[in-house]
Amino acid sequence: MSKWSLISKGFFKENPTFVLVLGMCPTLATTTSAINGLEMGLATLFVLVLSNIVISLIAPVVPDKVHIPVYIVVIATFVTVLQFVMQAYTPDAYQTLGLFIPLIVVNCIVLGRAEAFASKNGVWDSALDGIGIGLGFTLSLTAIGIVREILGSGSVFGWKFLAGDGILAFVMAPGAFLVLGYMMVLFNKLAKK
Amino acid sequence: MMEILIICVSAIFVNNILLAQFLGVCPFLGVSNKLSTATGMSGAVCFVITLATLVTYLINAYLLVPLHLEFLQTIAFILVIASLVQMVEIVLKKVSPSLYQALGIFLPLITTNCAVLGVAITVVTKEFTFGGAAHMLGLGEALVYAVATSLGYGLAMILFAGLREHLAGNEVPAAFKGLPIALITVGIMAMAFLGFSGIV
Amino acid sequence: MALCLTLVCLFCSAVLAGVYALTAEPIAEAERLAQENAIKAVLPEGGSLCDPAGVEVDGAILTYYRYAAGDSTIAYAVKASSIGFGGPLNVMVGVLPDGTVYNTTVLMPMSETPGLGAKCQNDEAFLSQFRGLSPLSVLKVRNDGGDIDAITASTITSRAYVKAVSQAVAAVKLLAAEPAADAAIDLNNEEVQQ
């Protein structure tokens, strides 16, 4: 597999949101606006790349029986590092994303990539895989965020093009499920062609 | 007594963990195909959430906070949950093989169910205002909150599995098959649950 | 096997302890800055801030900062809290000594619904109503017979916000009526300082 396809597969062929359908909780909860989706995607990207690198390094020496707990500990460490860094340098983003930052620990994408890719491949490839899947996740979240923000608040990335309110239901819980459902339909249609 | 009632109504209906807080969505979409598996999963989640909340609350209050080790919270909680799930699996296998048969296959999935870690973190970090002043939850309230939340999870899961069983028999356009139509159905269900908002 | 897991745990804990020590200062600094910015945002220019003190309104102790040029008080920044839709809602309110509201802003963390109640952070139509609000106006939302228009579909949050503002105004009226030393409560007890 070429280096480029390691990165690009995350955008479409193995898109974590629309094809693998992983990490649904942050996808639904943090996409109330484009910027929130983008921030969540980048936070996940950070953890994904670092944990992939470390796990690909330690995988050969970790006994098989305890590999899952060890991976979880590694991931949890990076998540906590991320929490501190965000609290210190981007406190606003930390406040908006709230609970979903520590919950990256149980995001199936991260553990999934560790188990399915990083534990069997070299450092360099694992890092690229992390970047690819992480960017795919970021793109999907941002796209969902853009749609929900346009419909729900009449703005894009905070820039308002519509006076007054949008259709409020789209920034609330039902809108998250509906937008994700319909975007998946669109993705399926496009993938068929 | 009134406060317990408010916690229950709030956690089960108003702030339903699945439909309003989006926690535990992956297993929800994964096992809600059939009513029987949905019931099994709800039971297992209920059990683990309550137990995990009890243990993590105690660890946080009597170990991490006195020793100023709050920065280990995320790591400690996820390890506790992972080992709890393992332990429950082993104990259940020995004590009640029939219950193990019913819940066994769901248990490994629960470690990565964000509802469990989500509730555990929420009860020790968030201030609640159940009808009174803002305060951190005591152990009793935390347990009531955990039980009520997991009941809400079960309610949403079982209702949705019922809908999905009917859905399976219907013709839907090819692109909508499977998850998309399921998500749209959940969306409509979430809209119905919005009707509860503002009660407490 | 168990040894390996223990080693990994120990190593990770050590790393975290290190990162924690490194970021502790920037985190405290960020929190201080957020608080300071909130106070600055609700006060007019040209004064200097005094140390925080407490004042009791309706049985609750509110923290306030006197803002003065020389001996004369220009305004007060009062931190008031009430209960919103998703949890506690803390509002920093700048009030002139005659009870006129200068400006208001929400303090983080806040747990109102994104896109609805959370608009109390930046909804101009809602927030502009408080700027220069006369002490004679009725501090309630219009549904309850007051003078404030609520944020669309977020009556509970709006009500909480207005309640916090009215508490702050009440606090300042109390402070302005009495010599500061009598109304002020020493903030050395833990409850207020947090």
Side-chain angles (χ1 to χ4, degrees):
Chain A
M1 204 188 270
S2 77
K3 301 288 176 208
W4 168 242
S5 70
L6 269 179
I7 293 186
S8 66
K9 71 177 180 210
F11 298 168
F12 207 80
K13 220 174 81 208
E14 285 185 42
N15 185 294
T17 307
F18 296 113
V19 179
L20 307 178
V21 200
L22 291 174
M24 284 295 108
C25 304
T27 306
L28 292 162
T30 61
T31 51
T32 46
S33 71
I35 199 82
N36 290 355
L38 182 68
E39 283 165 356
M40 187 67 215
L42 291 179
T44 314
L45 175 80
F46 172 86
V47 174
L48 191 56
V49 174
L50 289 180
S51 67
N52 255 9
I53 291 175
V54 170
I55 285 168
S56 71
L57 282 173
I58 62 168
V61 293
V62 174
D64 213 31
K65 268 199 169 162
V66 290
H67 73 279
I68 295 276
V70 168
Y71 294 174
I72 291 182
V73 171
V74 170
I75 295 168
T77 307
F78 283 123
V79 169
T80 315
V81 170
L82 175 74
Q83 273 180 282
F84 291 145
V85 173
M86 285 186 75
Q87 245 173 316
Y89 302 105
T90 56
D92 290 348
Y94 182 77
Q95 292 294 354
T96 2
L97 300 179
L99 183 60
F100 287 89
I101 293 295
L103 285 185
I104 296 177
V105 178
V106 284
N107 188 325
C108 354
I109 296 177
V110 184
L111 190 61
R113 290 328 283 179
E115 179 75 354
F117 196 94
S119 62
K120 298 173 192 134
N121 288 281
V123 182
W124 183 229
D125 282 0
S126 303
L128 289 180
D129 177 77
I131 294 176
I133 297 285
L135 282 181
F137 189 61
T138 309
L139 270 177
S140 320
L141 254 61
T142 315
I144 298 171
I146 290 175
V147 173
R148 283 181 69 187
E149 202 184 331
I150 290 178
L151 292 172
S153 328
S155 57
V156 185
F157 283 102
W159 176 73
K160 227 165 155 41
F161 61 82
L162 203 77
D165 296 300
I167 309 162
L168 288 173
F170 280 99
V171 281
M172 297 171 79
F177 289 108
L178 290 177
V179 169
L180 182 62
Y182 280 106
M183 283 182 76
M184 225 178 246
V185 171
L186 196 71
F187 199 90
N188 285 349
K189 275 269 182 211
L190 289 174
K192 284 263 163 59
K193 277 176 190 162
Chain B
M1 199 52 225
M2 194 56 203
E3 197 190 315
I4 292 178
L5 194 70
I6 292 177
I7 297 179
C8 288
V9 174
S10 151
I12 297 178
F13 298 108
V14 184
N15 290 313
N16 187 287
I17 186 161
L18 252 171
L19 301 172
Q21 298 183 53
F22 308 108
L23 294 177
V25 177
C26 290
F28 170 70
L29 292 173
V31 304
S32 55
N33 281 324
K34 276 165 62 191
L35 203 51
S36 55
T37 51
T39 320
M41 184 68 174
S42 312
V45 168
C46 235
F47 190 62
V48 174
I49 284 187
T50 314
L51 204 59
T53 306
L54 173 68
V55 176
T56 52
Y57 187 96
L58 293 175
I59 286 187
N60 189 63
Y62 294 104
L63 205 67
L64 298 182
V65 174
L67 296 177
H68 299 290
L69 291 175
E70 287 98 336
F71 62 90
L72 290 179
Q73 212 172 50
T74 314
I75 279 204
F77 282 20
I78 189 68
L79 277 179
V80 164
I81 291 168
S83 27
L84 257 183
V85 170
Q86 288 267 307
M87 244 163 57
V88 168
E89 206 176 340
I90 296 168
V91 169
L92 218 56
K93 213 175 194 169
K94 287 243 168 73
V95 176
S96 163
S98 60
L99 196 63
Y100 177 74
Q101 284 252 304
L103 302 185
I105 46 165
F106 304 111
L107 285 172
L109 280 176
I110 290 179
T111 310
T112 53
N113 184 334
C114 50
V116 183
L117 185 61
V119 172
I121 295 180
T122 307
V123 293
V124 298
T125 52
K126 197 178 165 217
E127 286 189 305
F128 285 86
T129 55
F130 298 116
H135 61 287
M136 301 300 287
L137 294 186
L139 181 59
E141 289 169 305
L143 280 182
V144 174
Y145 177 78
V147 172
T149 305
S150 50
L151 284 179
Y153 189 81
L155 177 73
M157 180 94 115
I158 290 166
L159 282 177
F160 181 60
L163 285 175
R164 223 173 155 184
E165 277 194 343
H166 284 280
L167 214 59
N170 288 318
E171 283 280 325
V172 291
F176 280 84
K177 275 219 174 82
L179 277 179
I181 189 73
L183 281 168
I184 292 163
T185 316
V186 185
I188 296 167
M189 233 172 103
M191 225 177 267
F193 269 72
L194 268 190
F196 291 113
S197 64
I199 292 185
V200 291
Chain C
M1 193 173 94
L3 182 77
C4 168
L5 188 56
T6 319
L7 277 179
V8 171
C9 283
L10 279 180
F11 182 72
C12 287
S13 310
V15 169
L16 282 186
V19 177
Y20 177 69
L22 277 180
T23 51
E25 212 169 283
I27 290 176
E29 175 70 16
E31 274 167 11
R32 200 186 54 76
L33 207 69
Q35 169 102 3
E36 203 180 280
N37 285 342
I39 296 175
K40 260 194 206 143
V42 297
L43 291 176
E45 281 179 12
S48 61
L49 219 52
C50 306
D51 284 336
V55 57
E56 192 174 331
V57 178
D58 298 338
I61 297 174
L62 308 184
T63 309
Y64 76 90
Y65 301 79
R66 202 165 70 87
Y67 188 67
D71 274 347
S72 66
T73 307
I74 302 177
Y76 295 94
V78 185
K79 187 178 158 190
S81 59
S82 61
I83 294 164
F85 189 71
L89 183 74
N90 296 310
V91 186
M92 186 64 82
V93 190
V95 191
L96 305 181
D98 65 352
T100 306
V101 179
Y102 186 77
N103 201 356
T104 60
T105 186
V106 183
L107 292 170
M108 289 293 161
M110 168 208 64
S111 37
E112 302 310 297
T113 324
L116 292 173
K119 275 192 192 154
C120 67
Q121 286 176 93
N122 49 19
D123 191 78
E124 231 357 75
F126 177 69
L127 293 175
S128 64
Q129 301 177 82
F130 294 103
R131 277 176 217 136
L133 191 71
S134 130
L136 298 174
S137 50
V138 184
L139 267 168
K140 277 179 179 169
V141 293
R142 213 170 286 284
N143 276 355
D144 302 344
D147 292 335
I148 305 290
D149 287 315
I151 302 168
T152 319
S154 312
T155 314
I156 295 178
T157 306
S158 311
R159 213 176 259 160
Y161 199 96
V162 173
K163 192 175 161 209
V165 174
S166 82
Q167 265 179 14
V169 172
V172 170
K173 280 181 181 159
L174 215 64
L175 287 169
E178 298 173 44
D182 286 351
I185 296 164
D186 192 17
L187 270 179
N188 281 334
N189 65 54
E190 252 182 38
E191 198 187 346
V192 197
Q193 272 198 332
Q194 292 181 15

